[in-house]
Amino acid sequence: MNDPFFNNAPSDDKLREECGVFGIYDLDGGETAETICCGLIALQHRGQESCGIAVSDTSGPRRNTCFHKGLGLVSEVFKSETLSKLRGNLGIGHVRYATSGSTTVENAQPLVLNYVKGTITLAHNGNLVNAAALRRELEYTGAIFHTTVDSEVIACQIARERLTASTVEEAVRRAASKLKGAYALVITSPRKLIGVRDPYGLKPLCLGRRKNAWILASENCALSSVGAEFVRDILPGEIVTVTKDGVSSSFISSLGTKAHCAFEYIYFARLDSTIDGVTICEARTRAGTCLAKACPADADLVAGVPESGVPAAQGYAKALGIPFGTVFYKNSYVGRTFIKPSQSERENSVRLKLSVLKSVVEGKRIVLVDDSIVRGTTMANLISMLKQAGARSVHVRISSPPFLYPCYFGTDVPTEGQLIASSHSREEICRMIGADSLGYLPIESLSEMTGGLPLCLACFDGHYPMGVPKENIRNILE
Amino acid sequence: MNDPFFNNAPSDDKLREECGVFGIYDLDGGETAETICCGLIALQHRGQESCGIAVSDTSGPRRNTCFHKGLGLVSEVFKSETLSKLRGNLGIGHVRYATSGSTTVENAQPLVLNYVKGTITLAHNGNLVNAAALRRELEYTGAIFHTTVDSEVIACQIARERLTASTVEEAVRRAASKLKGAYALVITSPRKLIGVRDPYGLKPLCLGRRKNAWILASENCALSSVGAEFVRDILPGEIVTVTKDGVSSSFISSLGTKAHCAFEYIYFARLDSTIDGVTICEARTRAGTCLAKACPADADLVAGVPESGVPAAQGYAKALGIPFGTVFYKNSYVGRTFIKPSQSERENSVRLKLSVLKSVVEGKRIVLVDDSIVRGTTMANLISMLKQAGARSVHVRISSPPFLYPCYFGTDVPTEGQLIASSHSREEICRMIGADSLGYLPIESLSEMTGGLPLCLACFDGHYPMGVPKENIRNILE
Amino acid sequence: MNDPFFNNAPSDDKLREECGVFGIYDLDGGETAETICCGLIALQHRGQESCGIAVSDTSGPRRNTCFHKGLGLVSEVFKSETLSKLRGNLGIGHVRYATSGSTTVENAQPLVLNYVKGTITLAHNGNLVNAAALRRELEYTGAIFHTTVDSEVIACQIARERLTASTVEEAVRRAASKLKGAYALVITSPRKLIGVRDPYGLKPLCLGRRKNAWILASENCALSSVGAEFVRDILPGEIVTVTKDGVSSSFISSLGTKAHCAFEYIYFARLDSTIDGVTICEARTRAGTCLAKACPADADLVAGVPESGVPAAQGYAKALGIPFGTVFYKNSYVGRTFIKPSQSERENSVRLKLSVLKSVVEGKRIVLVDDSIVRGTTMANLISMLKQAGARSVHVRISSPPFLYPCYFGTDVPTEGQLIASSHSREEICRMIGADSLGYLPIESLSEMTGGLPLCLACFDGHYPMGVPKENIRNILE
Amino acid sequence: MNDPFFNNAPSDDKLREECGVFGIYDLDGGETAETICCGLIALQHRGQESCGIAVSDTSGPRRNTCFHKGLGLVSEVFKSETLSKLRGNLGIGHVRYATSGSTTVENAQPLVLNYVKGTITLAHNGNLVNAAALRRELEYTGAIFHTTVDSEVIACQIARERLTASTVEEAVRRAASKLKGAYALVITSPRKLIGVRDPYGLKPLCLGRRKNAWILASENCALSSVGAEFVRDILPGEIVTVTKDGVSSSFISSLGTKAHCAFEYIYFARLDSTIDGVTICEARTRAGTCLAKACPADADLVAGVPESGVPAAQGYAKALGIPFGTVFYKNSYVGRTFIKPSQSERENSVRLKLSVLKSVVEGKRIVLVDDSIVRGTTMANLISMLKQAGARSVHVRISSPPFLYPCYFGTDVPTEGQLIASSHSREEICRMIGADSLGYLPIESLSEMTGGLPLCLACFDGHYPMGVPKENIRNILE
């Protein structure tokens, strides 16, 4: 898993989503763990560090949950033998990239906890901003914690509320009203599947159905991957409860402000998903169209950085009537990048992963589109490769605004010093990456991109939808 | 690990101890994890299912503990690479055979928990009789549990008491006063190493020293294996605290009755250990002497079942002036037994592990000594092998009384139906195993064996030192 | 590796190339094994079942070769620790998909053999048609064989010839003159790197240079991946020898007929390679152009089956002036397909891997381009998915002629019964896969596609460039 | 397997046997691989580095052999899943400690080779002294070699002879007549099981029977472990052939001189074996008796170094009428020694493995018996431990003569510089190890020990039974 030569990590020049969640209550029983496994494979882009599945049987005793968690990809952690031991009709799963708590198997999710009413399991996408304060309060009344993830704080708070609440949903509602931050949760109690979305709707969660099974998932691409129909998005602030009698809803609070994470549309979500009514594929193509209007270029060919830049590149090309083409071949067998000390070796690693289609590029003026620039190192390599292959000029277009502020809601952002846009002007960046011109999507276009959906744009403009702490909160519980 | 052909388990015809614990606070720093690892290897006979080590640095922040746990033997779970990552000067370790909670890596120890005062780690040898009641109480005030071991109940109780106690020792003392059952505990708080022994002294625990390091261990064989000197046994009901300023003591209660587990002397403890002033090797030889007096035999040769029956056999032989000899060769490369369905295959597995030295046995009248008979199946095989090899007669002598009652304090006992002695007379057993005569150590001799030490003899006479539950308490928390 | 749930195998509805080879002689020494490893990762598309690397030091004794082979992908078999043990300045590597000999680590290559002149290593891409006869001859003079691959026959023949040949090249030349079939070989003797290509040029092999290192590789994409310059293709029938004094050449025979494998251009070779002067990317785009001329369609959108159909789709779209678009999202985290018994499950596995971008497809008349149809099952699934997503019509265009005859030169072809084209007419296939129309590239266009290069078209027209056996020769040596 | 902290290797202060072989032809079919596996576990003391099993079905085609080999112990390499894939009624197995060729899985045995008459498999115990010359001859006539073990030379020679010999036995006979050195071989051809023993009888081999199955094994302990009856030892120079019609014999040559390896009786063979009519257990006890006569001691207690010194200690004690006792406890869970750089750490590793039973030792004059002294380091540690525990004096008695000359027949001997006896007098060694006196078994007593059996005593007196090379032949083929 952790090899000094090959490395599991995705490119360190990308922002990273932290998690994906999936839950199912199948009234007909059936291969629940296998279904969750397929759902997690469809959500794997949301987290590649660890994953886990917990299942139970609603007709069994209150504490009959079995689970398996591990470090690595779903296809590495779950073999058929393991899946065959996870039997039940109610279960949840999780894929994780660590933004809170370090990467150990102990911090993997779902959490499986025993409390007064039996076993509850919980999987969490998002990040709390008041986790440390909540944990301190709980500890001062005798709580002990096994992990360093904020999700355990949520679980413990629910257990506390359950002592006086009449139902588990009520306990979840009371606990949620104390949480500050971003969260999409899937929870099981002995006889229920529960989904929760924070009042701002920062993180996505949707409901699907397959015959007599109800499903919750971070994105609807996970629904189609298991042959389920999309029913609807969970509303911001909504608590959905699935029991054997069907689906019911309640709400955390009457808060009106919504703030959906813009980066889901720009980069995180899968191209074939639709979140809160916006089709990702269309949003990204539209971003390309807006980008063409705002920063046109006189060029022979428009190409996208694989895979993330392709849809915006197609939109950009169409809007300006310039041919779209493929200029890079991507070797899918690399998978894990080489870690080597020197900068020259890092360039080499890009060359192993991507190579230029020289005959396409030679003598051409090229527009190269990507969704974002974080450190700028990969982009500099790509431009240098295109020029070596004979490109006359390379105009870089980015389908999002410059990334300037840290995220407190679950997106892993390098420290500010490493964000190229936070310390350099557009002109400087253009020179540093060796481009002939550089254009960003104007922040105003984001609304057009998502059809007017209310967005959290804090990473671009610093306006956080709620108060945020001053210090870095990553690993604050360790 | 879990192979249907080879099997990790020790012979299922033996009683099993559940755990061994080890702790160290090394004021000079140094290779703490390596020392714990060596200590656990020396205690491996006390538990082979899982093991773990947790270490921290007393000069670091309150939550800087790192740990590793796994299923299997110490030498399988801990490789040098893993050990090199466990850095610190304060740490504990655990080897486990599951008597409470199922065998999963989640149930492995030490437990590593965060609470209001930082991280505490805990390793437990023994079994509580009131764990279910205590857990229920804790859950009713909001506690959540990650495992199904009673040890987590102890840890949670300590965290609760710590809210109002002025020191962690005081919290441990208050928690301990609520525990009913057998326990030897090693605990660390951010700056302290703590050892606790239940008021009956059912489970052993001792203190050692190596230069500026203080060590706690289940048996003193673990002290010599790491080059430490034995200082003294922890007293029943004592709480020992090691800080950078030295060692101090307090007591749980003034309870006067002691009840040391007799099976430590008969079988569990390592031959080179000394527990509560009684040298195991001498105790077992004395058991042989007593056995010779109580049940002499007219024979040409006295032999022990390897390894456990050898010391008593030597005592028996010497007492009667009959030559002692070796009649079985034991193949140490088998290690793990074959699991095969049929009875004939099970006999075969004994043959792979042990073989008779025919030239020694031929034409002889043999006394075969073992420490106990549980199911009787292995003994029957051995007698049959001796007779096939030409033994004229085989007289079986057992260096303990018949095993009749279940243990609630941490010894794994087959259900009563499988205990041959609980449903058959001595004559019947003798016939069933094919022996020419069968003799047990009289229960009165146990006191002579241990030099008058007060013992728990409940498994022989049913007189438990405290009230015990009526139902089977194994896995009661699951 | 071999899990009944996840499966390593690429789609079983594709033809498979059997092997890729790579060799290097670095006069400056350096990280030879790491370079070979990078080269093999670039050639991984040519074989995913097993791989291996063998290196030696030309300044060391004649038998100082070290090697490592294993089942799985290069990134699974070679970790940095393994690579660091493979030290030397001369070495070869191999990736394999088994067409001859079964998939066991014993059959993995390179072969490492000791003979009278020291150690030779050999890696082979291709398949002999007279391997069985040659092996029989060798056995009748006392040879023994450790593997069931035809490559060992080549090595043994070389060793035999070496007894009377004055140099290893001469031995290789004499051996090669007895081989019938397809082969591209990289060979090392203690002080030489040798490359050989069969007289028809069926399999590709090229020469590159990086500073003082000479490199041989199946495709030039492997050269650029290691930062080397392409020098030239090895000629059909050429034997290239690299020594410390440079590169020299000799020829197997004066045979004039060439027959380059057409499938390299259609599917096998990597998009960024150039083989025998023909740029793969251009050839495939041209195939799309020819296809457009031969089988136009009236449609709203042209799309390719990812990844293999995309370049031809772009050529097709451009030729007819229809927009090119992306209609499928491919989940790269699946990697290994689910093996499940029922047909319905197999469809499910496609759904996990590919999903339709509904918003792109809805209401459109679509041309779907792929490079070939083998069994037809995958294509049927894709068409059904497009229609479910609202496509008005789906016109399938294949950028190669129908595949009708078996290949004896190293391409793995399903038995004739499974080849849909060998037993069904175009109309029947169109109906079976549910397409609205179906068009193939005319066989005459292949020459245009590759700019007049002489091709082996036996799989399309049954005209083999040399005599071939009547029976199935797969696994003939077992 | 290869961990820098734990180490697989047995104590490096012992001589090591290189191999054990096992073969079976079961006319009734049945679980052949499982039987071989059990047999190899019984022979594991003869080699712990690698092992392998090859089986075939005599009713199948000539090349239907399947096999599995790996590094490690039998119980690590063979899991039930692997065994279940090895189906057949004819097979052989091998355990190996490398004396010729390095420790790689390629050098593991059995060798599985295809030649003109089908597949032959071969497993070899022993070492040739003319392997290099034979290999050179074979290479000069075109042979290639995959391994660096001399056993492959034997197999290749057999294949050559088979070209003109009318039967495989005849080929084996002709090949054997060219071999110089020690060898016990088990071989299978498509329909035969063959056993061969060199004319001196240096290495043991015996024949057994279980119903309709014939078995060959290095020692008869492997026969009883699989429930078979011992039939007879294979004679020196004998070739035994088992076919479906029964067992027949032929002979290599009429050579009269026999020279059985003395170290089999002193240390290598298992205590419960009988080789060439001499019962190991009796031989070792007799060695103790002779030692008592030659070097008596005035002492309170006689003890053996576990396990190897125990039988001789019992003989020594009985002869002098001094009580025999156990003074060391051996921890069987260590298994693999710690490798640590410093000498102090090496002493620590002994302490982890062995501990003194202080109460037995205190105040006593002790005779400590072992079978041999190689480097002397372990013995020095043991004496120091005994003295620290209070022994008044420690008299060391060795049940073999001093080891002075290298072995060329398959026993791994440290280079002469490391043999303490080859460079120091008895008095010096006694002082170096800290003993109060030191006595060796006189070389004349070896004949008494083995009842007059003709022995190879070259390691003690330098008289080799055949001419031996001047240089070190270990790894000569690499």
Side-chain angles (χ1 to χ4, degrees), chain A residues 70-362:
Chain A
L71 298 179
L73 299 177
V74 177
S75 63
E76 293 166 345
V77 171
F78 288 96
K79 304 294 180 190
S80 55
E81 202 197 332
T82 310
L83 287 172
S84 70
K85 287 179 190 154
L86 299 171
R87 304 267 53 106
N89 62 342
L90 170 65
I92 63 175
H94 192 259
V95 290
R96 177 170 190 257
Y97 166 72
T99 49
S100 152
S102 52
T103 309
T104 63
V105 75
E106 281 78 21
N107 278 344
Q109 297 195 21
L111 297 174
V112 177
L113 304 160
N114 299 303
Y115 77 141
V116 68
K117 299 295 184 181
T119 300
I120 67 168
T121 71
L122 180 146
H124 172 211
N125 171 209
N127 208 63
L128 300 187
V129 296
N130 66 337
L134 285 176
R135 185 156 105 169
R136 222 169 300 127
E137 269 178 53
L138 288 162
E139 285 179 345
Y140 274 112
T141 49
I144 55 177
F145 290 89
H146 289 242
T147 74
T148 55
V149 294
D150 56 356
S151 318
E152 192 183 2
V153 174
I154 303 177
C156 190
Q157 192 70 49
I158 293 171
R160 282 290 169 87
E161 304 295 347
R162 187 68 179 92
L163 298 176
T164 53
S166 57
T167 62
V168 65
E169 299 94 290
E170 174 60 15
V172 168
R173 203 194 55 74
R174 290 191 204 169
S177 70
K178 292 180 177 154
L179 306 178
K180 269 190 65 180
Y183 51 91
L185 303 168
V186 292
I187 299 168
T188 66
S189 75
R191 309 276 183 268
K192 292 172 183 170
L193 171 66
I194 298 171
V196 189
R197 202 172 169 197
D198 70 69
Y200 293 94
L202 278 155
K203 298 293 168 186
L205 191 66
C206 67
L207 181 71
R209 183 171 195 165
R210 188 179 67 183
K211 292 182 200 150
N212 283 317
W214 292 95
I215 294 171
L216 292 165
S218 290
E219 299 180 34
N220 67 342
C221 67
L223 299 178
S224 41
S225 82
V226 302
E229 295 292 318
F230 172 76
V231 174
R232 64 175 180 87
D233 290 293
I234 304 306
L235 294 174
E238 182 177 3
I239 299 170
V240 162
T241 307
V242 182
T243 67
K244 67 176 168 42
D245 304 317
V247 178
S248 60
S249 268
S250 64
F251 286 85
I252 298 168
S253 64
S254 58
L255 174 74
T257 323
K258 309 293 174 235
H260 300 291
C261 172
F263 244 85
E264 294 283 349
Y265 300 95
I266 295 168
Y267 172 68
F268 292 150
R270 232 174 77 166
L271 195 59
D272 57 330
S273 285
T274 297
I275 296 180
D276 289 319
V278 178
T279 298
I280 303 303
C281 167
E282 290 181 347
R284 290 183 192 163
T285 310
R286 267 202 300 271
T289 313
C290 297
L291 188 58
K293 265 182 273 176
C295 327
D298 190 15
D300 306 310
L301 190 75
V302 177
V305 173
E307 314 288 346
S308 56
V310 170
Q314 291 183 337
Y316 190 97
K318 199 174 170 194
L320 294 181
I322 309 174
F324 165 82
T326 304
V327 299
F328 292 108
Y329 174 84
K330 185 174 170 188
N331 184 354
S332 61
Y333 296 108
V334 180
R336 298 141 192 257
T337 12
F338 284 77
I339 290 188
K340 287 286 196 69
S342 66
Q343 179 60 20
S344 72
E345 296 292 357
R346 198 169 301 182
E347 282 164 32
N348 205 30
S349 133
V350 173
R351 199 162 278 133
L352 199 60
K353 224 173 180 170
L354 290 181
S355 57
V356 183
L357 298 173
K358 200 181 156 79
S359 63
V360 176
V361 165
E362 217 157 23

Side-chain angles (χ1 to χ4, degrees), chain C residues 21 30 61 158 161 163 179 190 199 212 232 252 272 293 298 301 312 376 379 396 407 410 418 426 446-447 449 475-476:
Chain C
V21 299
I158 293 171
E161 303 294 347
L163 297 176
L179 306 179
N212 283 317
R232 64 175 181 87
I252 298 168
D272 58 330
K293 262 182 275 177
D298 190 14
L301 190 76
M379 185 56 88
V396 172
C407 176
Q418 296 177 294
R426 188 163 58 87
L446 288 171
S447 172
M449 172 181 89
N475 298 347
I476 198 168

Side-chain angles (χ1 to χ4, degrees), chain B residues 328-399:
Chain B
F328 292 108
Y329 175 84
K330 184 175 172 188
N331 184 355
S332 62
Y333 296 107
V334 180
R336 298 142 193 260
T337 12
F338 284 78
I339 293 189
K340 288 283 196 68
S342 64
Q343 178 61 20
S344 73
E345 296 291 357
R346 197 169 301 181
E347 281 164 33
N348 205 30
S349 132
V350 173
R351 200 162 278 134
L352 199 60
K353 225 174 182 170
L354 291 180
S355 59
V356 183
L357 298 173
K358 199 180 159 79
S359 63
V360 177
V361 165
E362 217 156 22
K364 300 255 178 64
R365 298 167 304 163
I366 293 170
V367 174
L368 184 62
V369 180
D370 203 358
D371 61 277
S372 58
I373 292 183
V374 179
R375 285 185 178 80
T377 48
T378 300
M379 184 57 86
N381 277 326
L382 298 181
I383 293 168
S384 145
M385 284 164 74
L386 288 174
K387 296 220 166 165
Q388 273 175 39
R392 269 172 55 204
S393 56
V394 180
H395 302 275
V396 173
R397 295 297 177 269
I398 302 299
S399 63

